[in-house]
Amino acid sequence: MTQTAYTVSGLARVRGAGGSETPLVRLRNPSGRGEWTGPWSERSWEWDSLNERDKELLSIRVRNDGEFWMSFDDFAKHFTHLDLVHIGPDDWMSEPGLQDRQPWRAVLARRRWRSGYNAGGGPNFTETTAMNPQFHILIPRSTGNKCHVVVSVTQDYDTNPTSPRQLYAIGFAVYEKPLDVTNHSIAREVVTFFTLPPGDYIIVPQTNVPNCDGKFLLRILTDEQSNIWEVNEDNMVFRNISTEFLEDAFVMPDGKSLVTKLLLKYPPEVDVNQLHKILKAHWKAYLLEKPSLELCKSLIMLRDINISGRVNKLDIPILMHMLHFWRIAFEKFERCGSKTSSYNLRALLWEAGSTVSNKVLECLVLRFARNTVLSAECFVMAMARLHLAHERYHSLDTKMKGNPISLEEVICHLPRIY
């Protein structure tokens, strides 16, 4: 027998000429080549002890090349691992022989761990582990029955033998108080069987250490009624802080109003270069680092209703108030040198009065974070994008009846639209 994985496709018990019973196991080599040549193999003498009916019945049950019978004793002698497969809905529908049994309910989710976004690592990494994907299981208390649950996490792997991709140590946590944490294993798949009483549970697929990029498949099978969904911020909330700063309360260090200075020095509307000059002159009052031209472009778009590339200079104090508000939020998570971990972005958004879905958060991390680091300026640009998309979306919503575009799509594809 070669060192490969075989499928157990059937069981039988036969009675020989002497009256003794022999349990048999039917196996299949997935490659279709290489069969057992010992007792109860295709041409072995053991078949001569069976009556014609049993021989015909067992030969009919061998349906494929690479499929063969062997005794249970030989099976136990030559194989070291046995994986049990639970009956899912697809198996139940395709196999008539299974339809007298209750199928397991199955939920499948294809996701990925991404550095800086949701590859938070195991429980030992307390600052980031909560960023991992999370799935909620609700076992109703009304049933009163304990529920058998099978949780499987399978990581994507490369079948190319010349350059195989490294397997990570993967696992998952099941939280109630918490309830259990699996041991992380360097394996393609980690599976655990649970018996859970009615209640609420959180499944957290994770790698052993943070920042391991890779796709994975999560499968959750239950044999009782249960509700399973991914933890996500479905309702996106935006605090429109621009309306809170309509009055000019922005006073310069010399005691003069900023608007007064702008009226004397600049035309009624300013372009991106002029705005850049204004912000560079006063950046320490509302920013943690000198503004770039790219940041000024984002701010212009925020107040440029006519899409002319200019803003009214009376809007500049409002922009400065917004920048100051976002600076205060960022300072609560600042680590060193006006930077923070991109894993803090969801909490940062919450501090700034916004919540977003998992998809939007991933888009923001991909666009604005660099190597899991988020700078203060990139955070401001992310906030500008969110507010701009929110305003443009509601503008479209009022012009188009039955708007087919979702707010999530507008945020994720804003550069392609405007």
Side-chain angles (χ1 to χ4, degrees):
M1 302 290 289
T2 58
Q3 292 185 350
T4 187
Y6 289 78
T7 302
V8 177
S9 58
L11 300 171
R13 189 181 295 272
V14 297
R15 189 183 300 274
S20 61
E21 287 191 345
T22 303
L24 300 180
V25 180
R26 187 178 66 204
L27 299 168
R28 184 171 68 87
N29 187 340
S31 67
R33 298 187 302 274
E35 296 186 8
W36 169 245
T37 57
W40 297 101
S41 60
E42 186 175 357
R43 295 181 177 83
S44 69
W45 61 267
E46 283 82 5
W47 294 103
D48 297 336
S49 63
L50 300 184
N51 58 49
E52 292 300 322
R53 179 180 176 278
D54 287 345
K55 279 196 273 188
E56 183 180 357
L57 182 61
L58 293 178
S59 65
I60 290 174
R61 290 183 178 178
V62 178
R63 295 167 294 182
N64 303 305
D65 289 337
E67 201 167 32
F68 55 89
W69 292 97
M70 68 189 307
S71 70
F72 182 80
D73 290 340
D74 284 326
F75 173 79
K77 178 181 178 181
H78 287 88
F79 289 91
T80 58
H81 291 82
L82 177 63
D83 294 325
L84 299 179
V85 180
H86 293 83
I87 301 170
D90 294 338
D91 304 313
W92 187 84
M93 294 178 65
S94 61
E95 292 287 344
L98 299 176
Q99 293 181 4
D100 60 340
R101 306 178 186 181
Q102 180 180 350
W104 288 67
R105 297 172 176 85
V107 172
L108 278 70
R110 298 183 186 275
R111 298 292 185 270
R112 70 181 304 152
W113 292 294
R114 196 184 291 278
S115 297
Y117 163 55
N118 66 349
N124 293 334
F125 298 90
T126 55
E127 292 189 357
T128 58
T129 189
M131 301 300 112
N132 284 296
Q134 300 180 18
F135 295 82
H136 194 147
I137 300 180
L138 172 61
I139 303 173
R141 301 183 187 277
S142 57
T143 63
N145 298 328
K146 289 188 175 181
C147 181
H148 297 113
V149 180
V150 178
V151 179
S152 163
V153 178
T154 306
Q155 61 179 310
D156 189 33
Y157 73 106
D158 192 350
T159 56
N160 185 355
T162 59
S163 57
R165 192 180 67 80
Q166 175 187 358
L167 290 177
Y168 299 126
I170 63 171
F172 58 87
V174 181
Y175 289 102
E176 187 189 31
K177 291 188 177 178
L179 172 71
D180 180 55
V181 177
T182 67
N183 292 322
H184 293 81
S185 302
I186 302 177
R188 183 193 170 201
E189 183 177 19
V190 174
V191 186
T192 304
F193 181 94
F194 299 95
T195 300
L196 301 179
D200 290 275
Y201 303 90
I202 299 293
I203 306 291
V204 184
Q206 56 195 213
T207 54
N208 188 35
V209 296
N211 302 321
C212 295
D213 291 272
K215 299 177 182 178
F216 68 90
L217 170 65
L218 173 69
R219 288 178 286 190
I220 303 174
L221 285 76
T222 60
D223 66 349
E224 294 288 344
Q225 178 62 42
S226 58
N227 298 318
I228 303 173
W229 66 92
E230 185 172 6
V231 177
N232 190 8
E233 294 285 359
D234 291 324
N235 297 319
M236 286 185 275
V237 177
F238 292 90
R239 177 181 173 184
N240 189 5
I241 60 174
S242 62
T243 60
E244 302 175 18
F245 307 123
L246 294 180
E247 296 181 3
D248 174 34
F250 210 93
V251 179
M252 303 307 296
D254 58 5
K256 293 184 179 180
S257 166
L258 176 61
V259 170
T260 303
K261 285 197 168 188
L262 294 176
L263 288 174
L264 296 174
K265 194 171 183 179
Y266 291 96
E269 291 186 336
V270 297
D271 60 19
V272 64
N273 292 309
Q274 292 168 324
L275 179 63
H276 187 221
K277 184 177 180 181
I278 294 170
L279 296 185
K280 281 183 68 177
H282 311 290
W283 68 272
K284 290 185 179 180
Y286 47 83
L287 289 172
L288 292 171
E289 53 189 345
K290 286 186 178 181
S292 67
L293 200 62
E294 190 68 24
L295 173 62
C296 295
K297 291 178 182 178
S298 299
L299 296 176
I300 288 280
M301 292 177 70
L302 264 182
R303 308 298 295 180
D304 183 14
I305 300 174
N306 299 320
I307 316 181
S308 62
R310 295 174 176 272
V311 293
N312 192 304
K313 61 184 176 184
L314 297 179
D315 286 329
I316 295 177
I318 297 175
L319 291 175
M320 288 184 168
H321 278 295
M322 295 174 70
L323 293 174
H324 184 67
F325 179 80
W326 292 334
R327 169 184 170 165
I328 293 173
F330 189 87
E331 285 178 331
K332 295 181 180 180
F333 298 89
E334 185 182 8
R335 292 294 180 264
C336 59
S338 68
K339 292 180 175 60
T340 188
S341 169
S342 58
Y343 289 107
N344 293 328
L345 182 54
R346 189 183 291 278
L348 267 169
L349 295 176
W350 178 266
E351 193 67 32
S354 301
T355 63
V356 297
S357 67
N358 292 345
K359 181 179 178 180
V360 170
L361 186 66
E362 183 177 11
C363 289
L364 294 177
V365 169
L366 288 173
R367 171 63 180 84
F368 296 105
R370 295 290 181 272
N371 298 322
T372 75
V373 175
L374 182 71
S375 67
E377 177 169 288
C378 285
F379 168 65
V380 171
M381 292 175 66
M383 292 304 303
R385 170 188 281 231
L386 286 177
H387 282 264
L388 176 63
H390 189 256
E391 292 176 5
R392 296 291 167 86
Y393 174 77
H394 286 288
S395 175
L396 285 173
D397 209 29
T398 55
K399 295 176 182 177
M400 301 169 57
K401 293 183 178 180
N403 184 4
I405 305 175
S406 68
L407 176 57
E408 191 176 71
E409 290 173 320
V410 172
I411 295 173
C412 293
H413 303 290
L414 187 63
R416 301 177 187 176
I417 299 175
Y418 302 103

